[in-house]
Amino acid sequence: MLASRLYSPTLRELPADAVVVSHQYMLKAGMMRKIGNGIYSFLPLAWRSIQKVEKIIREEINKTGAQEIMMPIVQPAELWQKTGRWDVFGPEMFKLKDRNDREYCLGPTHEELVTSLIQMDTTSYKQLPVSVYQIQNKYRDEKRPRFGLMRSREFIMKDGYTFDADEEGLDKQYKLMYDAYTRIFTRCGLTFRPVIADSGAIGGSGSHEFEVLADSGEADIVYCENCDFAANIEAVDPLTVKCDIHNDKEKELVETPGQHTIEMVCDFLHAPVAQSVKAVVYNVDGLVVLAMVRGDHEVNETKIQHIYNAINVDMASDEDLKKVGLTAGYISPIGLKRTKDFDILVDPTVMEMQDACCGANEKDKHYIHVNPARDFTDVRVETIRQIQEGDVCPHCGGKIVRCRGIEVGQVFKLGTKYSEALHATFLDNQGKSHPFVMGCYGIGVTRTVAASIEQNHDDDGIIWPVAIAPYEAVIVPANNKSEEVMAAARKLYEDMEDSRDEVVLDDRNERAGIKFKDADLIGYPVRVTIGKKWQQSGCVEIKIRRSGEVVEVPLEEAKDKVLEILKTLHANNQ
Amino acid sequence: MLASRLYSPTLRELPADAVVVSHQYMLKAGMMRKIGNGIYSFLPLAWRSIQKVEKIIREEINKTGAQEIMMPIVQPAELWQKTGRWDVFGPEMFKLKDRNDREYCLGPTHEELVTSLIQMDTTSYKQLPVSVYQIQNKYRDEKRPRFGLMRSREFIMKDGYTFDADEEGLDKQYKLMYDAYTRIFTRCGLTFRPVIADSGAIGGSGSHEFEVLADSGEADIVYCENCDFAANIEAVDPLTVKCDIHNDKEKELVETPGQHTIEMVCDFLHAPVAQSVKAVVYNVDGLVVLAMVRGDHEVNETKIQHIYNAINVDMASDEDLKKVGLTAGYISPIGLKRTKDFDILVDPTVMEMQDACCGANEKDKHYIHVNPARDFTDVRVETIRQIQEGDVCPHCGGKIVRCRGIEVGQVFKLGTKYSEALHATFLDNQGKSHPFVMGCYGIGVTRTVAASIEQNHDDDGIIWPVAIAPYEAVIVPANNKSEEVMAAARKLYEDMEDSRDEVVLDDRNERAGIKFKDADLIGYPVRVTIGKKWQQSGCVEIKIRRSGEVVEVPLEEAKDKVLEILKTLHANNQ
């Protein structure tokens, strides 16, 4: 490809809403343009990277025995109404009507559709397992689309689905997919971790997320320094922390005028934060829930959602508090009773505490010398705290480390949630009917490209892993005015283009500095410079974007050397 | 691929709405399933064919210098409002609102979007030409979705767009695309014709359709037996037919009681139909238009639309007729005046007629001895008749033949229609601003697959051109019970699968008859049978689906022979 013809218009000014690196660089390098809020056009460079990711996915997923299909984007409402997800998705689902007023949505995912599709023709255990996948646009009308491709409203996903006769079959498929996902992200050159995940709104009995490790990620993940354990924090029940304090004193009401935060109270009472009890109040589908954790802990809201099998978990309003008799800033379960409108959850670590301080449900007053196991008289004990850095690994006792990740893939054991709701069944060898045991497996294709940039960049631009770079190499004639230089560059380009459609010749009538800048920004893994040095010594300069390493070889050897470097990069998934 | 694992569930019963062959066979062969009205899921066999068509398109379009991009399916309404097409498309466009009540459509095409996209970064003549394309789902909310993939509401299109500085540049791009399209449909193994097309609602100054010749096609096309001329009938102005009759008599009112059709009147008056004048009345965006053609001719409604630059051309209602004083069944322009609500169009061939019969605008009465040039006193003369079989070629005087086609591609010279409406301009070398001169180029990908079946099938099933067959060959062990046969088949399969992922082994536990039937239905170009004959003589049978030709070769030679046959089929685009 000639750079003079490549449609990759670079930008000088960045739109203010581009706050993460992948968004900034993809706009700056002319890889994509914003069309609407969370809606983008992909220009040739981005599209090549996306297609490379898709090709890797196809190759690896095909190896699992899965077959590629293509389901519609526009899906009839009825299917979603049957599983109840028409309402669960709520405003996040793009909905529309056709000319005959029939309702449809733009598929945010395809569990409903694929279940009804496979059900049409699959009736016997003999036909199982069935494993299908597609790569397609998906739609979510996000409340706050942001971060470019990291959270857009139209995005490309690979979604796969398996249908088995039993859990054992599902386990086998799940393992196949887990391994394929590991190969896919490895081949994409990403540093990632599969982590135990919450199965969330999609339902099911087991799940892993594949997280690309990057500070800009929106996922909080934890892993053990010692063993293999890694999880999304919302999916972990941390161990209960014992308390070595012993307290025989009765609880005592003290004045704490104006001290309405944990930090204020602890400061005022000269108590460590870990000796205080924190109250957070939620509105869980209408039920007011008081959640108590240790002062230095956080509530795992996903766990709250699971406990009540809830659709919405929101912070409680002042009105909610008033309704159930809670005093903001001084909240306490002491003396309160659970009712049908009000529940109290206490984390077991709180129940272990002794000599704690805690609100008194009266303005400007707290209790001290509280022993929750003795003084909290009507509460439900559930592990509701988040695991945190420094916690003990629930598996091996090692130390937990926390970091950020970008979720690029997820595998789910769905079980029979969708097949039961849609009456999708098969007959076993006794003629008995059973719902399919399903799994589903997603990869955010466009998000993978963005995550790769979040993880692989420097101040000059993108550092593509070679397998998903839009082009693998660029040839830069550093002196456009020299016919000799241009001819040499053109010859090398033609020699190389024959072997692979992966080389760009920067034939633009620009200064060498601008060409180098653009090459770094676009992130070609290998850059070949033909300039003065070549005119003097016959040597061209080959620079590896990732390592910065430079080698000089005679022009005649340049092609072989570049191919050798590319081969090494490919072999090392770099 | 093992047939036992291939997800291609064949059907015995066909849904009643499958009336064309491609729809029937694609359902029957387990290639696709209906999800909603005009909305389908593609199963693995169809998806493979579609991907092969896409690959051919990419290869040939890339050769033109065009670059692949991907624009959003969900498009902001504002762009469409600027060009006025938000209303022009009307109910054919799927419209939706997001959670903030902003309006969008599902792209039926992308002229608006691509123009605004290229405008963002292309400002100088130095950057031109720009040529981009995408392959993507498109959406049209058809009034009557039908014929499976021939007219569905969600379908896959390749759409390309070029931006040039002038008409000369556009002409060059147009030629490149025309040639690429010719190569694409040739490689797809289709018998097709590029025909002159009407540029229709999309606007522009020149257009060709690529029509796959098939009786089930919805397009009426004409071509000359003698020269290269070929056109969609709606795009041709036929020559005026001279009349060798001479009539000096004055027009005369005669009684024609109850004779309200052309055939009745001619029969009643013993006049040839070609001596009668036919009236058709339209409502053209509210204007009542009386169109007069010779009795044996038809009106070209597309021409009517162009004459008035109209959005809607509907048949006039009884009320329309009454409003302008027309008597149904006896309509005539004689004695009528054109007004602002009423226009009269007469085809020039009618104006050549002498001694014609014609309505009298009175119930049960007609005129005879009419000379329109003398007796039609207030009319507008425009060529409004359709060209028809047996007409004279407007280019060479040869004979016109009419046939049916399936439109699979269209190339348009758009000119500046969209760039002007969207103020998409560039600066020339004098610093003067001009709108881009645009072209657009579409291929119906899914429709191409269906058209291929319409053109290539027999009573047993599909006859795929090898280039777009889901798989190129099937190996049928004709006797599942023989371990020897199965082992031989499996070995041949393994040998062949290594060389290409294009072979299916029918390892299903079915009778040979069922396997043969399915092989013919699915339409594998080459079938290899290993059965009794092989056990007796060592020879396997290789059958070519298209020709029916059978060759027998020793098993050891089967792989080479099959590859040789496939190579020949590929080379001949069969």
Side-chain angles (χ1 to χ4, degrees), chain A residues 139-153:
Chain A
Y139 294 85
R140 301 219 179 146
D141 195 356
E142 297 275 354
K143 206 167 182 173
R144 292 204 316 124
R146 61 192 182 278
F147 306 154
L149 299 192
M150 304 279 274
R151 194 165 290 277
S152 53
R153 298 201 294 174

mmCIF file of all heavy atoms in Angstrom, chain A residues 139-153:
data_model
loop_
_atom_site.group_PDB
_atom_site.id
_atom_site.type_symbol
_atom_site.label_atom_id
_atom_site.label_comp_id
_atom_site.label_asym_id
_atom_site.label_seq_id
_atom_site.Cartn_x
_atom_site.Cartn_y
_atom_site.Cartn_z
ATOM 1 N N TYR A 139 -25.380 -4.310 19.811
ATOM 2 C CA TYR A 139 -25.898 -2.987 20.162
ATOM 3 C C TYR A 139 -26.273 -2.898 21.631
ATOM 4 O O TYR A 139 -27.025 -3.740 22.132
ATOM 5 C CB TYR A 139 -27.112 -2.664 19.287
ATOM 6 C CG TYR A 139 -26.687 -2.528 17.856
ATOM 7 C CD1 TYR A 139 -26.575 -3.634 17.034
ATOM 8 C CD2 TYR A 139 -26.287 -1.290 17.362
ATOM 9 C CE1 TYR A 139 -26.093 -3.523 15.740
ATOM 10 C CE2 TYR A 139 -25.815 -1.165 16.077
ATOM 11 C CZ TYR A 139 -25.720 -2.284 15.272
ATOM 12 O OH TYR A 139 -25.224 -2.156 14.005
ATOM 13 N N ARG A 140 -25.723 -1.884 22.303
ATOM 14 C CA ARG A 140 -26.181 -1.570 23.663
ATOM 15 C C ARG A 140 -26.283 -0.061 23.778
ATOM 16 O O ARG A 140 -25.309 0.647 23.530
ATOM 17 C CB ARG A 140 -25.188 -2.097 24.715
ATOM 18 C CG ARG A 140 -25.020 -3.590 24.590
ATOM 19 C CD ARG A 140 -24.906 -4.346 25.871
ATOM 20 N NE ARG A 140 -24.783 -5.751 25.463
ATOM 21 C CZ ARG A 140 -24.074 -6.667 26.092
ATOM 22 N NH1 ARG A 140 -23.455 -6.356 27.207
ATOM 23 N NH2 ARG A 140 -24.008 -7.898 25.658
ATOM 24 N N ASP A 141 -27.454 0.375 24.150
ATOM 25 C CA ASP A 141 -27.678 1.813 24.279
ATOM 26 C C ASP A 141 -27.174 2.252 25.653
ATOM 27 O O ASP A 141 -27.962 2.524 26.564
ATOM 28 C CB ASP A 141 -29.163 2.122 24.087
ATOM 29 C CG ASP A 141 -29.400 3.609 23.846
ATOM 30 O OD1 ASP A 141 -28.420 4.380 23.906
ATOM 31 O OD2 ASP A 141 -30.560 3.997 23.608
ATOM 32 N N GLU A 142 -25.860 2.313 25.789
ATOM 33 C CA GLU A 142 -25.211 2.659 27.060
ATOM 34 C C GLU A 142 -25.673 4.023 27.547
ATOM 35 O O GLU A 142 -25.855 4.946 26.759
ATOM 36 C CB GLU A 142 -23.688 2.736 26.862
ATOM 37 C CG GLU A 142 -23.024 1.450 26.456
ATOM 38 C CD GLU A 142 -22.688 0.581 27.662
ATOM 39 O OE1 GLU A 142 -22.877 1.041 28.802
ATOM 40 O OE2 GLU A 142 -22.239 -0.562 27.436
ATOM 41 N N LYS A 143 -25.807 4.120 28.879
ATOM 42 C CA LYS A 143 -26.164 5.401 29.485
ATOM 43 C C LYS A 143 -25.051 6.410 29.207
ATOM 44 O O LYS A 143 -25.306 7.541 28.832
ATOM 45 C CB LYS A 143 -26.325 5.212 30.989
ATOM 46 C CG LYS A 143 -27.245 6.221 31.641
ATOM 47 C CD LYS A 143 -27.573 5.763 33.044
ATOM 48 C CE LYS A 143 -28.526 6.718 33.734
ATOM 49 N NZ LYS A 143 -28.943 6.156 35.032
ATOM 50 N N ARG A 144 -23.808 5.971 29.392
ATOM 51 C CA ARG A 144 -22.664 6.846 29.138
ATOM 52 C C ARG A 144 -21.663 6.149 28.228
ATOM 53 O O ARG A 144 -20.690 5.563 28.709
ATOM 54 C CB ARG A 144 -21.977 7.243 30.463
ATOM 55 C CG ARG A 144 -22.826 8.157 31.350
ATOM 56 C CD ARG A 144 -21.985 8.994 32.315
ATOM 57 N NE ARG A 144 -20.919 8.225 32.955
ATOM 58 C CZ ARG A 144 -19.634 8.563 32.910
ATOM 59 N NH1 ARG A 144 -19.249 9.643 32.260
ATOM 60 N NH2 ARG A 144 -18.735 7.820 33.530
ATOM 61 N N PRO A 145 -21.911 6.192 26.906
ATOM 62 C CA PRO A 145 -20.908 5.608 26.009
ATOM 63 C C PRO A 145 -19.624 6.401 26.215
ATOM 64 O O PRO A 145 -19.670 7.632 26.343
ATOM 65 C CB PRO A 145 -21.462 5.861 24.607
ATOM 66 C CG PRO A 145 -22.796 6.485 24.782
ATOM 67 C CD PRO A 145 -22.973 6.893 26.187
ATOM 68 N N ARG A 146 -18.476 5.726 26.285
ATOM 69 C CA ARG A 146 -17.242 6.466 26.542
ATOM 70 C C ARG A 146 -16.024 5.642 26.179
ATOM 71 O O ARG A 146 -16.121 4.468 25.875
ATOM 72 C CB ARG A 146 -17.186 6.905 28.017
ATOM 73 C CG ARG A 146 -17.188 5.774 29.012
ATOM 74 C CD ARG A 146 -17.428 6.308 30.417
ATOM 75 N NE ARG A 146 -17.390 5.270 31.419
ATOM 76 C CZ ARG A 146 -18.406 4.469 31.723
ATOM 77 N NH1 ARG A 146 -19.539 4.566 31.072
ATOM 78 N NH2 ARG A 146 -18.282 3.536 32.662
ATOM 79 N N PHE A 147 -14.886 6.301 26.197
ATOM 80 C CA PHE A 147 -13.604 5.638 25.970
ATOM 81 C C PHE A 147 -13.522 4.999 24.585
ATOM 82 O O PHE A 147 -12.922 3.944 24.418
ATOM 83 C CB PHE A 147 -13.317 4.578 27.054
ATOM 84 C CG PHE A 147 -13.401 5.089 28.462
ATOM 85 C CD1 PHE A 147 -13.711 4.244 29.523
ATOM 86 C CD2 PHE A 147 -13.175 6.448 28.732
ATOM 87 C CE1 PHE A 147 -13.783 4.713 30.828
ATOM 88 C CE2 PHE A 147 -13.243 6.929 30.041
ATOM 89 C CZ PHE A 147 -13.554 6.062 31.085
ATOM 90 N N GLY A 148 -14.152 5.625 23.579
ATOM 91 C CA GLY A 148 -14.036 5.118 22.217
ATOM 92 C C GLY A 148 -14.576 3.709 22.094
ATOM 93 O O GLY A 148 -15.729 3.446 22.446
ATOM 94 N N LEU A 149 -13.736 2.786 21.631
ATOM 95 C CA LEU A 149 -14.192 1.415 21.413
ATOM 96 C C LEU A 149 -14.333 0.630 22.710
ATOM 97 O O LEU A 149 -14.821 -0.499 22.696
ATOM 98 C CB LEU A 149 -13.211 0.689 20.505
ATOM 99 C CG LEU A 149 -13.041 1.301 19.124
ATOM 100 C CD1 LEU A 149 -12.283 0.334 18.229
ATOM 101 C CD2 LEU A 149 -14.402 1.629 18.514
ATOM 102 N N MET A 150 -13.905 1.192 23.823
ATOM 103 C CA MET A 150 -13.980 0.455 25.081
ATOM 104 C C MET A 150 -15.429 0.319 25.533
ATOM 105 O O MET A 150 -15.812 -0.680 26.129
ATOM 106 C CB MET A 150 -13.177 1.164 26.167
ATOM 107 C CG MET A 150 -11.743 1.387 25.772
ATOM 108 S SD MET A 150 -10.779 -0.090 26.033
ATOM 109 C CE MET A 150 -10.393 0.201 27.751
ATOM 110 N N ARG A 151 -16.222 1.323 25.274
ATOM 111 C CA ARG A 151 -17.635 1.250 25.651
ATOM 112 C C ARG A 151 -18.454 2.033 24.637
ATOM 113 O O ARG A 151 -18.868 3.156 24.856
ATOM 114 C CB ARG A 151 -17.843 1.770 27.082
ATOM 115 C CG ARG A 151 -19.200 1.420 27.680
ATOM 116 C CD ARG A 151 -19.241 1.607 29.189
ATOM 117 N NE ARG A 151 -18.426 0.611 29.879
ATOM 118 C CZ ARG A 151 -18.849 -0.618 30.175
ATOM 119 N NH1 ARG A 151 -20.071 -0.991 29.900
ATOM 120 N NH2 ARG A 151 -18.043 -1.458 30.790
ATOM 121 N N SER A 152 -18.651 1.402 23.476
ATOM 122 C CA SER A 152 -19.413 2.064 22.423
ATOM 123 C C SER A 152 -20.807 1.442 22.352
ATOM 124 O O SER A 152 -21.099 0.459 23.023
ATOM 125 C CB SER A 152 -18.682 1.959 21.088
ATOM 126 O OG SER A 152 -18.352 0.631 20.795
ATOM 127 N N ARG A 153 -21.661 2.042 21.582
ATOM 128 C CA ARG A 153 -23.048 1.552 21.500
ATOM 129 C C ARG A 153 -23.220 0.525 20.375
ATOM 130 O O ARG A 153 -24.102 -0.310 20.419
ATOM 131 C CB ARG A 153 -23.999 2.739 21.323
ATOM 132 C CG ARG A 153 -23.933 3.699 22.520
ATOM 133 C CD ARG A 153 -25.159 4.560 22.614
ATOM 134 N NE ARG A 153 -25.277 5.479 21.510
ATOM 135 C CZ ARG A 153 -26.334 6.257 21.317
ATOM 136 N NH1 ARG A 153 -27.365 6.214 22.147
ATOM 137 N NH2 ARG A 153 -26.373 7.100 20.291
#
